[in-house]
Amino acid sequence: MAMGNVTTPFGRRPVTLALVKRQVSASESQTSRQVEKWRVFRDASEARIELGLQDRSLAVLDALLSFYPESELCHGAQMIVFPSNAQLTLRAHGIAGATLRRHLALLVNAGLIFRKDSANGKRYARKDEEGAVESAYGFDLSPLLTRAGELAIMAQKVVAERAAFRKTKECLTICRRDVRKLISAAMEEGAAGDWQTIEDIYVGVVSRIPRSPTRAQLDSLLDEMSLLRDEIVNQLELHEKSQDMSINGAHIERHIQNSKSESFREFEPSSEKEQGANSSKKKQAKNEPLKAFPLSVVLKACPQVIDYATGGIIQNWRDLMSAGVLVRSALGISPSAYEDACEVMGPENAAIAVACMLERTNMINSPGGYLRDLTRRSRQGEFSLGPMVMAQLRANGHGLGKTG
């Protein structure tokens, strides 16, 4: 290890091995490029939280860079600035002396500047006969050049995370508005459904939105709110279909009564080809797979399924479907019953169904018969996984929250 470029601070300030390592790394860096100093400052400002800095720290760094005469940091140049504390205080907008020292220490600990203290701790420059700086003692700005690429990457990540947070927050706001208005519309128009329970679930989710949420918290709440919105839409679609069937049935019945001379065969397809087409359409409508729910919501509702996953981890839908096969075997469900469920519901939703059954295994006498009944109802368009998943969320304390 070359120790010629390592300096220790003056006075009682201690030196750490991390500081020594950073100084050695900076001195061994052979970078030949130059970087605009204010661009590096902007990147450091974006990444200040990652670096453990505060707003005042950036004000002090801004003041230090203002004492560097060039606009670009360049390898081989003299990048040590040596302003007095009084000069720094003036350019840092009147910051107090103790505060100035604290934030200088934060900049050193963050690895953005180095101290190069003289024998007596004073900051100054010694010049040669031609007036060029021969040696200087103060704050070394070379780490900003060495870490310019790293700081740029950190800044990009912070900006991307901020944009993703803003997008998630907007989506949650829109989804929350949709759910509130759909519930109100359903109640006002008398649509069939347990709308009071759904409204209680909505209030519970809203009550758990923190004042200053993290992105992970918003993602989780958005998954729950999206699930609730999808379930409301499904119930409203079922209500609309039932009304259409009632109207069509009444219309057909009146048509039959007023057309005694007409043959019933006129209501049937006129050819085998049309019969096959209609049969295919009906089968397609019945076997149309249900929408899969967000995986995070499913795992909240059915945590026991994780015990059946390889390595005890479920990271994607493939992991859940693999665990579903083991749950099927553990519950004593025949392979044929599970295959029928996968064909009608879709493999993801079949896995969700058996995961919910696992949570209620003490309440189900015949899991195989229960799954076949769910499959039959799904084939006829009479079953939705939404209430099943939401019931498990409430049972595990996720669906409802305390208000007031």
Side-chain angles (χ1 to χ4, degrees):
M1 179 183 293
M3 298 297 292
N5 294 314
V6 175
T7 61
T8 57
F10 172 79
R12 297 181 179 180
R13 290 191 295 268
V15 65
T16 64
L17 295 181
L19 176 61
V20 173
K21 183 178 179 180
R22 285 197 293 267
Q23 289 184 1
V24 172
S25 298
S27 63
E28 292 179 349
S29 175
Q30 299 298 321
T31 179
S32 59
R33 64 187 180 90
Q34 55 188 20
V35 179
E36 206 273 318
K37 65 179 181 180
W38 297 118
R39 175 183 169 187
V40 181
F41 175 75
R42 288 191 295 270
D43 290 339
S45 299
E46 290 285 3
R48 67 179 181 84
I49 296 178
E50 301 292 327
L51 295 169
L53 301 178
Q54 302 172 10
D55 294 340
R56 289 292 185 90
S57 305
L58 297 176
V60 174
L61 180 60
D62 176 82
L64 287 173
L65 286 172
S66 69
F67 285 100
Y68 184 72
E70 305 297 331
S71 62
E72 294 185 341
L73 302 173
C74 182
H75 179 70
Q78 199 286 119
M79 287 186 283
I80 297 177
V81 294
F82 38 89
S84 65
N85 282 357
Q87 292 173 316
L88 274 177
T89 296
L90 183 63
R91 294 199 186 184
H93 312 293
I95 190 172
T99 305
L100 173 66
R101 290 190 291 273
R102 183 170 71 254
H103 289 289
L104 285 170
L106 287 176
L107 291 171
V108 173
N109 292 335
L112 297 184
I113 61 173
F114 293 149
R115 290 182 182 273
K116 187 176 179 182
D117 289 345
S118 63
N120 59 4
K122 301 294 183 180
R123 301 172 201 147
Y124 61 89
R126 182 178 291 111
K127 300 182 180 180
D128 58 19
E129 297 178 354
E130 298 178 354
V133 176
E134 188 177 50
S135 59
Y137 299 95
F139 299 103
D140 190 351
L141 303 177
S142 60
L144 291 173
L145 174 63
T146 305
R147 300 183 63 187
E150 178 189 352
L151 292 174
I153 293 174
M154 291 175 67
Q156 290 174 4
K157 289 182 178 179
V158 170
V159 171
E161 178 65 23
R162 186 186 302 131
F165 178 87
R166 187 183 303 113
K167 182 179 179 180
T168 303
K169 189 174 182 180
E170 290 175 354
C171 290
L172 178 59
T173 300
I174 294 172
C175 188
R176 175 181 173 181
R177 180 188 65 200
D178 292 344
V179 171
R180 176 66 273 170
K181 292 193 174 184
L182 287 172
I183 293 174
S184 298
M187 287 182 170
E188 290 174 1
E189 298 183 17
D194 189 359
W195 298 110
Q196 186 58 52
T197 299
I198 292 176
E199 183 169 21
D200 290 342
I201 296 172
Y202 165 78
V203 172
V205 175
V206 172
S207 69
R208 289 186 286 111
I209 299 178
R211 184 180 297 273
S212 299
T214 64
R215 184 188 168 191
Q217 291 173 324
L218 288 181
D219 285 336
S220 177
L221 291 168
L222 178 59
D223 286 343
E224 292 187 44
M225 195 67 75
S226 299
L227 171 61
L228 187 58
R229 180 178 60 185
D230 291 343
E231 178 57 27
I232 293 172
V233 172
N234 287 339
Q235 290 201 26
L236 293 177
E237 288 178 352
L238 290 174
H239 175 72
E240 183 178 357
K241 288 178 181 179
S242 65
Q243 284 187 329
D244 291 342
M245 291 176 64
S246 300
I247 294 173
N248 291 337
H251 175 74
I252 291 173
E253 184 177 355
R254 290 194 301 270
H255 186 75
I256 291 174
Q257 291 175 351
N258 297 331
S259 307
K260 294 181 180 179
S261 61
E262 297 179 359
S263 172
F264 287 104
R265 296 182 63 181
E266 294 181 5
F267 296 98
E268 298 177 358
S270 59
S271 66
E272 293 182 0
K273 184 176 181 180
E274 291 181 8
Q275 290 179 0
N278 289 343
S279 176
S280 175
K281 288 181 180 178
K282 291 179 181 179
K283 184 176 181 181
Q284 181 179 1
K286 289 179 180 180
N287 293 342
E288 183 179 356
L290 301 171
K291 295 180 181 178
F293 299 100
L295 182 60
S296 60
V297 174
V298 174
L299 296 181
K300 280 185 178 181
C302 310
Q304 294 186 46
V305 73
I306 299 176
D307 297 336
Y308 293 82
T310 303
I313 299 175
I314 294 180
Q315 297 179 328
N316 49 51
W317 286 107
R318 185 179 297 276
D319 293 343
L320 180 64
M321 289 186 288
S322 299
V325 174
L326 295 179
V327 172
R328 186 275 304 167
S329 178
L331 294 177
I333 300 173
S334 66
S336 60
Y338 191 66
E339 289 175 6
D340 289 343
C342 290
E343 181 181 354
V344 175
M345 301 181 187
E348 295 91 349
N349 289 302
I352 295 174
V354 296
C356 289
M357 292 169 59
L358 179 65
E359 298 290 326
R360 305 172 58 192
T361 183
N362 60 331
M363 303 173 62
I364 301 174
N365 294 327
S366 175
Y370 186 76
L371 183 61
R372 286 191 183 276
D373 182 62
L374 295 182
T375 303
R376 177 187 60 80
R377 292 164 56 195
S378 296
R379 185 180 288 110
Q380 296 174 353
E382 299 175 352
F383 171 69
S384 173
L385 271 174
M388 197 175 190
V389 175
M390 297 305 295
Q392 286 305 132
L393 279 171
R394 293 197 300 272
N396 293 335
H398 294 294
L400 289 173
K402 296 180 179 180
T403 61

